[in-house]
Amino acid sequence: MSVEAVLDAVAAAFADEPAEVEQLLLDLAEATGRAAYMRAYPFATDYGRECAGAAADAARDELLAALDLPLGPNGVAA
């Protein structure tokens, strides 16, 4: 999938539900930042790193679901 197609999907979803898409983008940014912090933090536990990574994955999946991107044969956005 091209960058243009993803940006078009974001623009279309934002036009329909701006508050929802904005919140999903903010959630993704926060979860991704937290996961990056936990990966770099020397005293983080493996459990903490896994939880932060799972939260980032969940936030990404929620955003992808809201964008309604076409799926490839493996179930991942094509």
Side-chain angles (χ1 to χ4, degrees):
M1 173 163 290
S2 69
V3 173
E4 291 84 11
V6 172
L7 290 176
D8 288 344
V10 170
F14 192 78
D16 292 338
E17 293 290 334
E20 179 185 355
V21 174
E22 179 183 16
Q23 188 59 52
L24 289 170
L25 288 168
L26 290 171
D27 290 347
L28 178 60
E30 180 182 356
T32 302
R34 176 98 174 129
Y37 172 78
M38 290 300 283
R39 281 192 304 271
Y41 185 63
F43 300 109
T45 63
D46 289 341
Y47 177 75
R49 289 184 182 104
E50 289 174 13
C51 287
D57 291 343
R60 185 192 64 236
D61 291 344
E62 286 181 29
L63 179 60
L64 288 174
L67 294 182
D68 196 30
L69 294 170
L71 300 180
N74 60 354
V76 177

